[in-house]
Each structure stands twice: as C-alpha cells, then as structure tokens.
Amino acid sequence: MIVVHHLAHSRSQRILWLLEELGVPYEVRRYERMPDFKAPPTLFEAHPLGKSPVIEDKSEGIVLGESCAIIMYLRQKYGESQTMSAEGALDDLYYTHYAESTLLPLLVTRQRLLRFANSAPWYLQPLFHYALSAYREMYVEPDLPRHCKMIETHLTRNSWFSVGSDGPTSADYAMIIGLEALVVAKIVTPETYPAIRKYIEKVQARPAYQAALQKGGVFLYAKQTLATEQRGPEA
Amino acid sequence: MIVVHHLAHSRSQRILWLLEELGVPYEVRRYERMPDFKAPPTLFEAHPLGKSPVIEDKSEGIVLGESCAIIMYLRQKYGESQTMSAEGALDDLYYTHYAESTLLPLLVTRQRLLRFANSAPWYLQPLFHYALSAYREMYVEPDLPRHCKMIETHLTRNSWFSVGSDGPTSADYAMIIGLEALVVAKIVTPETYPAIRKYIEKVQARPAYQAALQKGGVFLYAKQTLATEQRGPEA
C-alpha cells in the first residue's frame, strides 16, 4: 500500500493523478494549509523538510520526497511499459526536470511575492508592493512569456510532452500543476496560449484525473481553471 | 563532440566536472555575466530560455537544457556502469531532484534578494532592504537550517550522496554547487556543518574537478570556497 502525504492545493495532487492512471491502490493523508498558505508543521512528521508530497511505500519500507523523484519511482516500479522513441525520451527527461527546476520555482516566487505584499499591514502595503514589484519585474515577469511560448510551441506540435506518446509520461505529470497555475494567474487563456489551454482541458477530462480529484479533496487549481473555462475567456 | 554553453559562475560548472570524470571530449563556449549578474542575451542563441547550461551533442544532433536532465543524459550515454544498491539508487534519485527543485531555487532567491536590495539607488535602499528582508525571513531563512541538517546527517553517515557508492553519481554532480553556495554564504563552515565542508574539499581535490576548473575559466564559487578554507574558519 502507498500512503501519499498530500498537502491541500499543492503539487502533490499530480501524484494522485499518476496513481490513478497506474491503477495502484493508495491512501491519502490530507494536510490543510495554514492561514498564511504555508504547509502545517504536522508535515514534519512525514519528512524532515516538512514539504509535500511525500510517499510511503509500505511494501518496501520506503519514504520518499520530491515530486519528480516520486513520479520516476512510481512509474518505474508500478508502471508503464510504453516504449518511447529516442526523441520522446529526451522530451520526457527535459520537461520532467524543467517543470520542478525552472517553471515551478518561478511561479511559486511570483505567487509568494504577490501574497506577501497583500498580507502586509495596511500602512506598509504601498512600500511592500513597490519593492516586491520591482523585484518581480527584474527576476520573474520577463521570463514568463518565453516559458509560455516554448511550451505553447511544443504543445501545438505534439499531443503530450513526450513526442509521439499516446498518453501521459513523467513530463506530463510533472508539468500539469505549473500549467494550471498559469491559468489561475490569467497568463494562459484560450486567446493567449490556446494549445496549453486545450492540453489542460484534455488532462482534466481524463477519468483518472477526475478520480484523483475525488480522492484528494478540494483542489483550488482545478476548481479555478475549470471555473475560468465556464465563465468564458477573461477580458 | 559535446559543446557546453557555459555561463560563468553558474551551475554549468558541474557539467564540466562530470565530462572530465567521464573522460568525454568537449568544447566550452563561455558566456560572461552582465553587470547585474544576469545571463547575457547571447545565450538565447543556444536555447529559447536563454539559460545555462545547454549542451549540444553533435553526434546525435541534440540540444538539451536543464542541468539535471543533462547529467542524466550524459551519464546514461557515456557513462558509468556502476551498479547501485536499491537504497543507493533511491538516494541518487532523491538528491538529484532535490538539488535543482528545492535547494537551488531557495539559494538563488536568497542571493537575488540580497543583491537586488544592495543594487537599489541609495535613497531606496532602506525601503528595499526592509521589504526584501521581511520576505526572506518569511520564505527563505527558516528553511535553511533544516536543509543543512538533512544534508549534514546524510554526509556524516555516507561518503557520497548515493549510499554505498565509491564515487560520484548523478546526485553528487547535482548537489555540489548548492553546497559551495552555502559556504560562500557563510552558512556552512567547518564549525557549523563539518561533514558538508569536508565533502566539498574532497570533491574539489579530485583531478577531474581541477581539470574542469582549468577548462571553464574563473569560477567564483570554487575560488571563494577555497579562499575561505585558506583564510581559516570565519568568526
């Protein structure tokens, strides 16, 4: 049995999606976020860094952190025998690392900078907004269009992140939450990056993704990206 | 022939170390940083994100970015047949992903926040220092001792990141620059985290590491960590 230590509204949601696709039985231990959106201290009981996701594979006596290490481990052990072309394997390798090493750190920093400025006491807000926006304009915002363009180009030409694949591989599990976050941030819309938007819809429509949503509890990124869709494109 | 697009004082230095360990011939194209320490726009000619490292493997017609994707690719193709224990393979997987997904984003953010505050015009400096330090105290500083403790504990018990290994594996190539950055930031000293400090010395003494230094040109992280050592421990 696999136990997933699952922080609400976090990158651990995709581990549930993967486990549903693999058909591996698992148990979810859900942790709610604190009022400042940080992970609760109870997560330290699962892992010394207090981060999510963490899985326990009881059959092996294994405890493992880091989203993409977990994805690689689960797919290798319980997974997919799909053979990829050399080109597809290289895409899979690239986007699996890119998701956690480059895209998500950028998006997490962006979200934290905005949240932190908004949570300052009222008399400090103008000061904090000014300084943190200047930082964001220097290190975050100029990169975003390049990232979106690279991903959009790839998804315009390919159904999945691994070229020639007929279903999700590691890179797709790795990438999904970053793409959902781009929709929530209103950077990706059906007008700006239609291929990314369509890709997200395709993933969210999969029975395994839907089953993972049921199992994991409320997931703001899915809720908000679906809601955006229902409301129609943003102005 | 492998071409490494190598940004000065960056995570691409470890790719040169890896290539030296593998004994694979390569060519270095070095890019100097701009006055604000950002990568120069010429890197966009090598890769759409303008980031380093990027390698070209001319024999395969391949262009690949993302440090750890490159490490995995090179080791798989040119590399090491060392067989790891199941436990060692899991460490290797964990620390390879941890390095780029968790440790380096934290350290890069820390360095940028400090640099950005210092580079503001003098009349804005107090304001920027105040706001950016508050952000750093919220999202960066509390994590650092946990990270160092986890790594110190691991290196107290093991010679390399992969348990039972008798030389570097992917995780070691992935981790080294983060550890050097912790020394430059004076967080790791021989007093605070002796096992990490000794591990760095061991890596830096390897002939392949030294050969990579010769080939890559000045590398501040090595220069400053060696200098720290020669000056003796910091107060």
Side-chain angles (χ1 to χ4, degrees):
Chain A
M1 172 64 86
I2 309 276
V3 176
V4 185
H5 296 272
H6 171 57
L7 176 62
H9 322 303
S10 85
R11 51 191 95 190
S12 65
Q13 181 68 38
R14 58 193 162 173
I15 305 300
L16 312 187
W17 173 34
L18 167 60
L19 286 161
E20 291 289 343
E21 294 276 357
L22 294 173
V24 174
Y26 62 99
E27 194 186 306
V28 175
R29 302 236 174 106
R30 184 175 160 113
Y31 299 76
E32 298 301 331
R33 288 182 184 266
M34 303 206 295
D36 62 4
F37 210 69
K38 279 192 161 184
T42 43
L43 255 171
F44 285 105
E45 291 161 27
H47 193 273
L49 297 183
K51 290 181 181 298
S52 158
V54 172
I55 62 159
E56 292 177 59
D57 188 342
K58 301 280 191 187
S59 69
E60 306 282 336
I62 278 171
V63 176
L64 184 63
E66 290 298 331
S67 291
C68 288
I70 294 171
I71 292 170
M72 305 290 277
Y73 170 80
L74 290 174
R75 277 173 51 86
Q76 242 168 40
K77 178 147 184 232
Y78 296 101
E80 319 239 338
S81 51
Q82 195 187 40
T83 48
M84 284 184 258
S85 66
E87 197 190 348
L90 210 68
D91 289 333
D92 194 44
L93 183 65
Y94 175 74
Y95 279 105
T96 300
H97 286 278
Y98 163 78
E100 281 288 310
S101 309
T102 301
L103 181 61
L104 278 170
L106 196 70
L107 295 177
V108 167
T109 300
R110 185 175 187 278
Q111 199 184 40
R112 284 179 174 174
L113 287 164
L114 291 167
R115 184 178 300 119
F116 192 63
N118 287 331
S119 70
W122 64 269
Y123 52 91
L124 286 175
Q125 284 220 3
L127 186 162
F128 274 51
H129 271 288
Y130 184 76
L132 297 173
S133 297
Y135 179 84
R136 203 155 46 79
E137 292 300 331
M138 175 80 174
Y139 289 113
V140 178
E141 303 301 333
D143 279 2
L144 286 171
R146 282 171 214 141
H147 289 262
C148 292
K149 203 178 150 194
M150 179 182 81
I151 302 166
E152 177 76 8
T153 303
H154 189 83
L155 292 177
T156 302
R157 296 179 192 150
N158 305 289
S159 311
W160 299 95
F161 277 101
S162 164
V163 165
S165 177
D166 57 5
T169 64
S170 297
D172 300 281
Y173 300 109
M175 288 291 294
I176 186 66
I177 189 171
L179 304 184
E180 288 169 332
L182 283 166
V183 175
V184 171
K186 303 197 170 92
I187 294 163
V188 164
T189 72
E191 284 70 38
T192 54
Y193 300 103
I196 299 179
R197 196 66 193 84
K198 271 192 192 148
Y199 171 87
I200 297 170
E201 279 167 49
K202 179 177 69 181
V203 167
Q204 290 180 337
R206 287 176 79 87
Y209 184 97
Q210 290 295 327
L213 274 190
Q214 291 297 319
K215 200 103 179 240
V218 184
F219 177 49
L220 281 180
Y221 288 92
K223 211 174 154 182
Q224 292 177 5
T225 53
L226 292 167
T228 303
E229 195 53 26
Q230 282 155 10
R231 281 203 310 274
E234 300 287 329
Chain B
M1 171 64 89
I2 309 278
V3 176
V4 185
H5 296 273
H6 170 57
L7 176 62
H9 322 303
S10 84
R11 51 191 94 189
S12 65
Q13 182 68 37
R14 59 192 162 174
I15 304 299
L16 312 186
W17 172 35
L18 167 60
L19 285 161
E20 291 290 343
E21 293 277 357
L22 294 174
V24 173
Y26 62 99
E27 195 188 304
V28 174
R29 300 237 174 105
R30 183 175 160 113
Y31 299 75
E32 299 301 331
R33 288 181 184 266
M34 304 207 292
D36 62 5
F37 210 72
K38 279 191 163 186
T42 45
L43 256 172
F44 285 106
E45 292 161 26
H47 192 272
L49 297 182
K51 290 181 181 296
S52 160
V54 173
I55 62 160
E56 291 177 61
D57 189 341
K58 300 281 191 186
S59 70
E60 306 283 336
I62 278 171
V63 176
L64 183 63
E66 289 298 331
S67 290
C68 288
I70 294 170
I71 292 170
M72 305 290 278
Y73 170 81
L74 290 174
R75 277 172 51 87
Q76 241 168 42
K77 179 147 184 231
Y78 296 101
E80 319 239 337
S81 50
Q82 195 187 38
T83 47
M84 285 183 258
S85 65
E87 197 189 351
L90 210 68
D91 288 334
D92 195 43
L93 183 66
Y94 176 74
Y95 279 105
T96 300
H97 286 277
Y98 163 78
E100 281 287 310
S101 309
T102 300
L103 181 61
L104 277 170
L106 196 70
L107 295 176
V108 167
T109 300
R110 185 175 187 277
Q111 200 185 40
R112 285 179 173 174
L113 287 165
L114 291 166
R115 184 179 298 119
F116 192 64
N118 286 331
S119 70
W122 63 267
Y123 53 90
L124 286 175
Q125 285 220 4
L127 186 162
F128 274 51
H129 272 287
Y130 184 75
L132 297 173
S133 297
Y135 180 83
R136 201 157 46 79
E137 291 301 331
M138 175 79 174
Y139 289 114
V140 179
E141 303 302 332
D143 278 1
L144 285 170
R146 281 172 215 143
H147 288 262
C148 291
K149 203 178 150 196
M150 179 182 81
I151 301 166
E152 177 76 9
T153 303
H154 188 82
L155 292 177
T156 302
R157 295 179 193 152
N158 305 289
S159 311
W160 298 96
F161 277 100
S162 163
V163 165
S165 177
D166 57 5
T169 64
S170 297
D172 300 280
Y173 299 109
M175 288 290 295
I176 186 66
I177 188 170
L179 304 183
E180 288 169 332
L182 284 166
V183 175
V184 173
K186 303 198 169 94
I187 294 164
V188 165
T189 72
E191 284 70 38
T192 54
Y193 300 102
I196 299 178
R197 196 65 193 86
K198 271 191 192 149
Y199 170 88
I200 297 171
E201 279 167 47
K202 180 176 70 180
V203 168
Q204 290 181 336
R206 286 175 80 85
Y209 184 98
Q210 290 294 327
L213 274 190
Q214 290 298 318
K215 201 101 177 244
V218 184
F219 177 48
L220 281 180
Y221 287 92
K223 212 174 154 180
Q224 291 177 5
T225 53
L226 293 166
T228 303
E229 194 51 27
Q230 284 153 11
R231 282 203 310 273
E234 300 287 330

